[in-house]
Amino acid sequence: MHVDNTFYTVEQGRLAQIISKRSFGGKCFFSNSGAEANEGAIKLARKASPEGRYKIITMERSFHGRTFGAMSATAQAKTQHGFDPLLPGFVYVPFNDVDAVAKAITKETAAVMLEPIQGEGGVNIPDDNYLASLRELCDEHGLLLIFDEVQTGCGRTGKWFGYQNWNVEPDIMTLAKALGNGAPIGAIVAQPEVAEAFGPGTHASTYGANPLVVSAAIALFETIEQEGLLERVGQISQYILSQARSLQQRFGFIESVRGCGLMLAIELSLPGAPIVAAALERGLRVNCTQNSILRLLPAMTITEAEIDEAFEILATAMQETQSKLVSS
Ligand SMILES: Cc1ncc(COP(=O)(O)O)c(C=O)c1O
């Protein structure tokens, strides 16, 4: 069951090939989680950059994980509070603001790192040309572009990887969450010339590419393909959005509804916690992020009947919250 990643295994090679063929022909290093994949990506970006270039520009409201490097990359005070001093070398700018990135670049900058769609930050979808402009800026200044696809990757947006919605390739991409579909695995995928910076002894993980979890990840790709799930995502997404828009007509506190594939948000003008609690009591698990944004990340296998049931529960939870507001 266990072979440490000093050695090659057939499964490890197969999974790397599966990911590489469906993305940008990159090389893969397997870890055990998203945070750990991002730690590795930060190390790789520094190692692959010329001497003196170590700073990484990341986005406000980003989320990259809870370990020290990933937490320092995460530009949210609530995540970092109490853990000073953080890992130096991160510069934060607003999401969807190319000029802010351009102004933040110095001769010490090594990379720009972001989630193609911010998840924990509130399902923030990039403007049409944002990622392409970042790619251009990085090329112009010799910087690496890192996409954290821990949440957007492996089919969630209806493409294998989120960046494919905008046809902009990164130099480094990180994956986790859906990659193992429940089994703990993460991955760093890097353009071959960037990956070369990691020679033997520079990065490793005892359980990275463990044959058991790697087999689970292979099964994920095979199942999504065999069951045509990527193609289904767009259709289900539209169905959920139409249900969410009906709710919006009913409840004045719903400010907006948005989504890309199965990464969707219902933004409220009030705190979402009471709605989340009322929904959970009725068996529906939704998440509230940034205090007032309900984030919906359903499984790719969800049926229309299940969506109807979920929205009935959500409507009841919202009605209950509204009634309490009126009576208080
Ligand atoms: C975009 C993104 N990056 C990294 C992480 C951290 O992943 P993990 O919890 O597997 O360490 C998360 C987790 O929510 C995430 O959403």
Side-chain angles (χ1 to χ4, degrees):
M1 182 178 143
H2 174 66
V3 185
D4 71 76
N5 75 350
T6 311
F7 296 95
Y8 172 83
T9 64
V10 173
E11 292 87 354
Q12 175 179 14
R14 256 194 83 203
L15 179 60
Q17 201 170 50
I18 285 172
I19 296 172
S20 188
K21 278 193 176 153
R22 283 157 189 75
S23 56
F24 47 85
K27 290 195 162 188
C28 298
F29 175 91
F30 295 107
S31 63
N32 310 284
S33 69
E36 206 188 320
N38 284 330
E39 291 293 328
I42 292 163
K43 279 179 69 179
L44 181 61
R46 285 193 177 181
K47 195 110 175 81
S49 296
E51 189 77 21
R53 286 190 172 216
Y54 67 99
K55 288 190 175 166
I56 301 182
I57 300 172
T58 65
M59 308 302 151
E60 288 168 12
R61 289 200 174 192
S62 55
F63 188 81
H64 298 295
R66 305 275 182 181
T67 51
F68 255 93
M71 177 180 65
S72 305
T74 296
Q76 295 203 62
K78 65 172 186 191
T79 308
Q80 299 176 338
H81 182 72
F83 297 111
D84 285 333
L86 301 175
L87 179 71
F90 291 95
V91 179
Y92 310 135
V93 299
F95 184 73
N96 256 337
D97 186 342
V98 184
D99 290 342
V101 176
K103 279 187 199 136
I105 296 171
T106 67
K107 60 180 189 330
E108 292 175 325
T109 310
V112 175
M113 176 175 181
L114 72 157
E115 303 147 80
I117 301 172
Q118 288 189 328
E120 211 277 331
V123 188
N124 301 320
I125 299 171
D127 295 340
D128 285 349
N129 290 322
Y130 180 57
L131 300 181
S133 304
L134 289 184
R135 179 71 272 176
E136 267 174 39
L137 257 186
C138 287
D139 291 344
E140 197 183 311
H141 293 270
L143 311 179
L144 297 169
L145 182 60
I146 308 172
F147 286 158
D148 176 343
E149 294 252 12
V150 168
Q151 200 166 130
T152 49
C154 304
R156 174 138 305 278
T157 69
K159 305 272 185 194
W160 277 120
F161 306 104
Y163 74 81
Q164 291 167 335
N165 290 288
W166 293 274
N167 291 318
V168 177
E169 282 184 2
D171 300 294
I172 304 173
M173 163 173 85
T174 54
L175 302 172
K177 290 199 192 286
L179 178 59
N181 206 25
I185 179 169
I188 310 167
V189 189
Q191 298 281 4
E193 62 279 13
V194 176
E196 268 174 26
F198 267 173
T202 46
H203 198 59
S205 165
T206 298
Y207 283 129
N210 172 282
L212 181 70
V213 291
V214 161
S215 301
I218 292 171
L220 171 98
F221 283 93
E222 287 175 349
T223 307
I224 288 179
E225 265 163 8
Q226 278 159 17
E227 300 189 5
L229 294 178
L230 278 186
E231 294 72 24
R232 246 188 114 234
V233 166
Q235 182 192 330
I236 315 170
S237 174
Q238 286 311 315
Y239 190 65
I240 296 177
L241 281 171
S242 71
Q243 294 266 18
R245 288 193 190 105
S246 312
L247 272 191
Q248 190 178 14
Q249 284 173 351
R250 225 173 117 186
F251 298 102
F253 55 74
I254 298 183
E255 292 207 324
S256 66
V257 165
R258 58 180 174 273
C260 177
L262 291 180
M263 211 167 159
L264 304 121
I266 300 177
E267 185 153 3
L268 313 171
S269 58
L270 43 76
I275 296 173
V276 169
L280 189 58
E281 247 171 51
R282 291 167 175 80
L284 175 70
R285 170 93 167 92
V286 287
N287 167 267
C288 177
T289 186
Q290 303 295 320
N291 191 43
S292 59
I293 301 169
L294 298 182
R295 179 175 46 161
L296 312 177
L297 299 167
M300 293 167 95
T301 48
I302 195 167
T303 62
E304 295 196 350
E306 284 165 335
I307 295 167
D308 291 344
E309 191 184 339
F311 272 88
E312 266 172 44
I313 295 175
L314 210 46
T316 311
M318 287 184 174
Q319 186 60 55
E320 195 179 289
T321 305
Q322 191 171 51
S323 309
K324 277 187 191 155
L325 278 176
V326 172
S327 62
S328 67

